[in-house]
Amino acid sequence: MTTPDERFESELDVFRTEAAQGTQFFYAYVAVRAAATAHEPVLKLLNQSALFWNTNLAALQTSAFIVLGRIFDQTSPHNLDRVLRIARDNPRIFSRVSLGRRRQGNKSEPPPWLAEFLRAAYEPTPKDFRRIRAHVRKWRRVYEKNYRDLRHKVFAHNVVDRDETAALFGRTNIRELQRMFVFLNSLHEALWQSFVNGARLVLRPLRYSVKRMRALPSPGTGRWATQERITHEVTEFLLSASSVANAPLGG
């Protein structure tokens, strides 16, 4: 039988995977379109294989919305509420005692640094988790109002006509979706840091605007968040590929 620590860690890893994949899908989709809009050679490259690129863009868009449903729909077996419910029902997994046991692992004696590490660790309070759940409720309401029907009726099952499809797309907002995916990644990081390092349960701000990332890339690629890395890689690849594809043939 698994322990609460193990169940939480397992569900947290599922959430990490879902949030990261959804971010990759959505930001890759936005970054391709942004590069094509900003650079004529990139648009020319995409038009040379239009069916291929339209297929890829459609797949990225569909995958992003499917992932959102798995995260927010409460009927989904590994939705976000599941990991938060484990944390709520088992607050001791965030205690210094539990943290120390996890960090000691299978060692017979605690490592010399552990006592000082635990003294500096923070034990989250019920108020901390209420604040986290309030953020989740806010973004779930956004999902349910603007994106759930689109996800279920168009991307998952395709059960509506053209006019209703257009109306559902009319509710969408690129900036809002960027902020939603970045929130999910920030939430995972906060939960992971608290569980693994005893850090305060704080949602740290992350950049979300593809336009901003393209204009001012962050220094130090090794520390980039998922949305920054995929935006950079898509942009650099398309610029490089378009320069080769559109170069004049040598004599």
Side-chain angles (χ1 to χ4, degrees):
M1 184 175 180
T2 59
T3 66
D5 300 59
E6 291 168 336
R7 291 198 300 275
F8 179 81
E9 187 172 14
S10 175
E11 287 299 325
L12 186 62
D13 192 57
V14 172
F15 175 48
R16 175 194 62 80
T17 301
E18 298 281 39
Q21 287 183 347
T23 301
Q24 290 167 220
F25 298 147
F26 183 71
Y27 272 83
Y29 170 83
V30 175
V32 170
R33 293 174 63 90
T37 300
H39 303 283
E40 184 67 27
V42 171
L43 180 60
K44 183 178 178 181
L45 171 69
L46 302 190
N47 284 334
Q48 289 172 4
S49 305
L51 180 60
F52 170 79
W53 284 104
N54 284 333
T55 300
N56 277 275
L57 288 171
L60 289 169
Q61 185 184 52
T62 298
S63 297
F65 279 96
I66 293 299
V67 169
L68 277 182
R70 292 203 299 259
I71 292 173
F72 282 116
D73 285 336
Q74 291 172 304
T75 56
S76 177
H78 294 285
N79 74 86
L80 181 51
D81 276 358
R82 184 176 176 89
V83 69
L84 294 178
R85 191 177 305 116
I86 296 172
R88 181 198 65 194
D89 294 344
N90 302 276
R92 290 183 180 179
I93 65 178
F94 292 93
S95 69
R96 291 186 180 90
V97 172
S98 294
L99 177 61
R101 185 172 59 248
R102 291 193 298 271
R103 295 306 295 253
Q104 183 172 335
N106 295 324
K107 298 182 179 68
S108 58
E109 296 292 333
W113 52 265
L114 186 58
E116 182 64 27
F117 175 83
L118 293 176
R119 277 194 292 271
Y122 177 78
E123 293 184 347
T125 66
K127 183 178 179 180
D128 291 322
F129 280 103
R130 285 196 297 271
R131 186 179 67 253
I132 291 295
R133 288 195 294 271
H135 283 291
V136 172
R137 284 195 299 272
K138 168 195 166 184
W139 282 109
R140 176 174 278 116
R141 285 195 296 268
V142 171
Y143 165 75
E144 291 174 347
K145 178 183 177 182
N146 295 333
Y147 304 104
R148 181 174 60 186
D149 286 350
L150 181 63
R151 190 265 188 193
H152 292 344
K153 295 181 179 181
V154 175
F155 291 111
H157 302 293
N158 194 20
V159 294
V160 294
D161 60 25
R162 183 175 299 179
D163 289 342
E164 188 172 352
T165 297
L168 291 173
F169 271 104
R171 299 181 194 172
T172 64
N173 181 285
I174 294 294
R175 181 176 182 272
E176 185 174 69
L177 282 164
Q178 289 177 134
R179 292 181 62 213
M180 183 184 296
F181 278 112
V182 167
F183 160 73
L184 294 172
N185 285 273
S186 180
L187 175 58
H188 170 266
E189 181 69 10
L191 292 170
W192 187 88
Q193 288 290 350
S194 179
F195 184 70
V196 174
N197 291 321
R200 287 185 174 273
L201 197 56
V202 175
L203 295 175
R204 304 191 184 281
L206 298 170
R207 297 207 305 173
Y208 64 84
S209 169
V210 166
K211 181 179 180 180
R212 183 74 171 170
M213 293 174 203
R214 284 170 43 82
L216 294 170
S218 295
T221 57
R223 298 191 301 273
W224 279 358
T226 301
Q227 69 274 11
E228 299 218 35
R229 180 178 176 185
I230 193 67
T231 298
H232 172 78
E233 290 187 3
V234 167
T235 303
E236 290 301 302
F237 169 77
L238 289 176
L239 290 176
S240 176
S242 63
S243 67
V244 172
N246 297 318
L249 296 176

